[in-house]
Amino acid sequence: MDDEPERLDALTRQAGRWLALSAAPAERHTTAVVAGPYDRVAWRDVYARSAALRELSAQLLTRHAHAPDLLADVFLCAYQAAPRLRERAVMAPSHLVHHQVVTALTQSPDFAPLHRETAGDAYAAAMAVLAQGSALRGLLERSREARERTGRADRARQEAEAAATAVGEALRQAAEEADGQEEVPAPAAAAVRRAAEAAREAEESARREDGAAAQAMAAAVPGIRSAARNAASAAAEAVRQEAALMRAWGVDAGETERMPFEERARLAERLRSGRLARWAELIGRFRQMAAGERARKVEHATGELVGVTLGDDLSRVIPSELAVLGVPELRAVFAARYAAGELMLYDSRGEQGTGKGAVIACVDTSHSMYAEGPGGITREAWSKACALALLDQARHAGRDFVGILFSAADKLQVFHFPGDRPAPVTDVLDFAETFLGGGTDFQRPLGTAAKILEEEFDSASRARGDIVLITDDACEVSENWTRLWNEIKRRLDFRLFGVAIATPDTATASGSVLETLCDNLRTVDDLTDVHTTADLFRVI
C-alpha cells in the first residue's frame, strides 16, 4: 500500500482536521485581567519604581516561572475601576492558576472595601500587592501540583499544535511532488499519514493532560479560595492602616494622589516607623475632638458655650426662638418677649472671642517630657498631638500657626505655617519629630512668640493672637522680663493659655509662675484623656 501513489484529494480529506487546527490555533492569554495600554503602562511604571515589588517578584520566581504575570494580574484587579476577567477557555493552561487566584480575590468579602481604596491609585494598588506577598507565596506552594499539571497541559497543547502544523507541511510537500497531478507519490503520501498519526497522538496526549490539569485544579480550588480571602483581608487591613495614618497626620487623599511614587513611599515608611506610628491614634483623637469643638461654636457668641439663659441679645438667640418669626401669628409674642428681655439665648462663660492673629504653640521638649504616662503615652506625644490639633484649628480659621519647640535657654526651634497656603506634610512631621532635650526656660520661647506677634501686628495690623504654652514643669522668670512681657501683652492684646502636663501642684497653685503668666491655665493629669483641653479649641 505504501508503494502505491494516492490521490491528493483523499489525503487532504484525511488531514483536514489537522489543517484547520494549524491554520487557526486558538489564542492563549497569559494575563487573566483584560488591560488596556494605559493600565499596562501604570503597572510597568510602578514596578520599575518599587524595589519592594521587584524583590517580591524575585522571591516568587523561585516557586513559579510566571510570577511577574501573577503580580500584574493582582495589581490590575486592584487598580482598575471595573476589572474584567477573561474567559477561562482563552487562558494558556500554564496561567489558569492565575485566573483562579484573581477570581477568588475579586469574590472575597474584603475585596470591595479594598478596591474602594485602591481603584485608580497606582501606589495603593501596589501596596495591596505587597501586603498579599506572604499569602501569594503560600498559595503558590499549595498549588504546586495544579501548576505543574497545567504546565504539562500547556506544553502538550503546544506540541499538538506543532504536530498539526507538521501535517500541513507534509501535505504541502505532497502537493508539490504531485506537480499538478491527482496522484501523490507513495513516499510523500506515507509522510502525510505519519504526520497525521503523530498529530492524533499529540491531540490525545493534550486531552489527557487537560483532564489531569482540570482534576488538579479542582482539588486546589478550595485552598486557593481560602488563601485569596486571607490575602484580600491582609491587603485591606494594610491599606486601611495606611489611610488611617495619613488621615491622623492630616494628609488628605488628594494630596497623596498628587505625590510622586517615591515621595509617597518615603512618607508612608516614615509614618509607619518610630514614634510617629505610636502617636497616630492619639493625634487622630485630638483632631476629631478639636473638629467636634469647632462644630459646637456659636457664631457671634462670645466665650465658651455653657447653657441657655434669658435676655434680649439678638446675636445669641437660639434657633428655636428665631423659628417663631416664621409664624406670622407669633411675631407679636416674639416682640413682647424681646421687649421684656425674656428671649432664650446661648449662655457663655467669660472668655473673649477667638483671636485674629497667629496661633503659637510653645511646646516644652525638655528631658522630662520623655516620661511615659498611662497607656504608654508620653508627655511629648500628648503635647505634640495637642499642638497639631491647634495647627488644624488655625488653618480652619485662616490664621497663621507657629510651633516653637523649647527646652533650655539656648535650645529653641521655630516652625512657621502660614494660614494662606497648605502645610507641607514633611514640615509637619519635622515639627512633630524634633526633640531638643535639656532643661526648661520660659522666657526665651514666650519672648520669641511675643516678637512674632509684634512683627505680625506691625506688618499686617493683626492683633489678638493666641499663645499656648504646653509644659510639664515650671521655672522662674525675672522681674524685668515680666514687666516687659506685660507691656507687650497689653499693647498687642494677645492671650496666653497654659497647659500643665502632670506638673506638681505647687507649679500651678495660686501665685505660681504659670498661674501668674497665663490668662487661662488648665492641668492635665491623665494623658489618655484628650477632652481635658476640649474647651481650648472653642475659644482659640
Side-chain angles (χ1 to χ4, degrees):
M1 180 70 176
D2 288 346
D3 295 333
E4 297 179 3
E6 295 188 32
R7 291 182 60 83
L8 182 61
D9 56 351
L11 284 175
T12 303
R13 285 194 299 272
Q14 292 176 23
R17 177 184 177 186
W18 317 115
L19 291 176
L21 183 61
S22 64
E27 184 179 9
R28 301 292 181 177
H29 292 278
T30 57
T31 55
V33 181
V34 179
Y38 179 81
D39 295 330
R40 288 192 290 269
V41 167
W43 164 245
R44 287 196 296 268
D45 181 64
V46 77
Y47 185 83
R49 292 172 179 270
S50 173
L53 275 179
R54 296 193 299 276
E55 181 180 349
L56 175 60
S57 179
Q59 292 173 359
L60 296 184
L61 275 170
T62 63
R63 293 174 169 84
H64 183 32
H66 306 298
D69 294 334
L70 175 60
L71 293 184
D73 276 333
V74 174
F75 170 84
L76 290 170
C77 73
Y79 176 70
Q80 291 181 340
R84 182 165 59 91
L85 304 189
R86 302 185 193 278
E87 296 294 330
R88 285 176 55 86
V90 302
M91 291 294 297
S94 59
H95 288 65
L96 283 174
V97 169
H98 299 191
H99 191 282
Q100 187 61 53
V101 169
V102 176
T103 299
L105 279 173
T106 55
Q107 292 176 351
S108 64
D110 285 301
F111 180 75
L114 169 66
H115 191 246
R116 283 195 293 270
E117 298 285 351
T118 60
D121 187 338
Y123 173 85
M127 189 180 67
V129 175
L130 293 171
Q132 296 175 77
S134 178
L136 290 175
R137 282 190 288 270
L139 186 152
L140 290 176
E141 194 62 39
R142 286 189 291 273
S143 64
R144 180 190 298 273
E145 183 178 354
R147 289 186 291 107
E148 289 177 351
R149 284 292 186 179
T150 54
R152 292 178 194 170
D154 198 18
R155 290 190 294 273
R157 181 58 54 193
Q158 293 173 10
E159 290 171 1
E161 291 172 356
T165 301
V167 172
E169 179 61 27
L171 191 60
R172 183 190 63 78
Q173 184 67 32
E176 288 182 358
E177 293 189 20
D179 195 20
Q181 303 299 317
E182 288 297 325
E183 299 294 329
V184 176
V192 172
R193 287 196 300 273
R194 286 194 299 271
E197 179 61 20
R200 183 188 64 77
E201 292 175 356
E203 178 66 19
E204 289 179 356
S205 176
R207 279 200 298 268
R208 287 193 301 272
E209 292 293 349
D210 283 345
Q215 290 179 354
M217 182 63 71
V221 163
I224 290 176
R225 287 176 178 167
S226 175
R229 284 196 297 270
N230 293 338
S233 177
E237 181 60 24
V239 170
R240 277 195 297 267
Q241 287 181 359
E242 181 158 314
L245 271 176
M246 294 291 183
R247 285 192 295 270
W249 285 96
V251 186
D252 59 49
E255 185 176 355
T256 56
E257 289 175 6
R258 291 189 297 270
M259 284 184 184
F261 183 90
E262 297 90 341
E263 181 181 345
R264 185 169 173 183
R266 286 194 299 269
L267 172 61
E269 180 60 29
R270 188 176 180 183
L271 292 180
R272 282 194 297 264
S273 60
R275 293 179 296 159
L276 299 185
R278 296 195 298 272
W279 296 354
E281 181 184 358
L282 180 65
I283 290 169
R285 286 166 55 199
F286 256 101
R287 282 196 154 112
Q288 290 173 4
M289 181 266 294
E293 295 304 320
R294 283 197 298 271
R296 291 180 58 191
K297 280 189 176 183
V298 181
E299 194 69 24
H300 306 306
T302 59
E304 177 192 356
L305 175 63
V306 294
V308 176
T309 186
L310 299 179
D312 59 0
D313 186 349
L314 295 178
S315 69
R316 295 160 53 204
V317 175
I318 68 174
S320 60
E321 286 278 41
L322 294 175
V324 169
L325 295 174
V327 182
E329 295 82 358
L330 296 179
R331 289 174 183 168
V333 175
F334 181 91
R337 294 182 61 189
Y338 172 61
E342 295 179 350
L343 294 175
M344 287 190 290
L345 313 176
Y346 284 116
D347 193 14
S348 58
R349 183 172 62 191
E351 290 284 1
Q352 301 177 46
T354 57
K356 299 299 181 183
V359 176
I360 303 178
C362 296
V363 182
D364 187 351
T365 61
S366 60
H367 283 312
S368 58
M369 293 293 283
Y370 256 142
E372 192 170 282
I377 299 174
T378 63
R379 299 172 186 178
E380 181 201 11
W382 199 98
S383 64
K384 297 287 182 62
C386 183
L388 291 176
L390 288 169
L391 168 60
D392 280 357
Q393 190 82 352
R395 300 201 61 75
H396 186 268
R399 301 168 66 183
D400 291 352
F401 175 82
V402 181
I404 300 177
L405 305 180
F406 71 92
S407 57
D410 61 339
K411 294 184 177 181
L412 183 137
Q413 194 161 343
V414 181
F415 295 81
H416 291 269
F417 298 94
D420 59 354
R421 70 195 69 154
V425 64
T426 52
D427 292 351
V428 173
L429 297 183
D430 288 342
F431 169 65
E433 286 185 312
T434 299
F435 191 86
L436 303 177
T440 305
D441 173 77
F442 289 167
Q443 293 185 179
R444 188 178 177 200
L446 291 179
T448 301
K451 184 176 180 181
I452 291 171
L453 292 179
E454 184 175 32
E455 291 172 351
E456 182 183 48
F457 177 79
D458 292 340
S459 63
S461 299
R462 284 200 299 266
R464 296 290 312 286
D466 291 311
I467 302 173
V468 181
L469 175 65
I470 308 174
T471 183
D472 71 337
D473 203 352
C475 67
E476 295 301 319
V477 293
S478 69
E479 183 177 342
N480 183 56
W481 182 90
T482 302
R483 179 178 56 78
L484 295 174
W485 169 261
N486 289 331
E487 288 178 1
I488 193 170
K489 190 170 181 291
R490 280 193 298 270
R491 182 162 62 86
L492 300 179
D493 191 25
F494 62 78
R495 298 174 294 181
L496 175 61
F497 296 85
V499 180
I501 306 174
T503 54
D505 291 340
T506 55
T508 56
S510 178
S512 67
V513 172
L514 280 174
E515 195 274 338
T516 301
L517 289 176
C518 298
D519 301 292
N520 183 313
L521 176 64
R522 65 214 65 214
T523 59
V524 178
D525 295 318
D526 184 358
L527 298 186
T528 63
D529 183 10
V530 301
H531 297 284
T532 51
T533 55
D535 62 319
L536 186 66
F537 298 95
R538 289 200 298 275
V539 294
I540 288 183

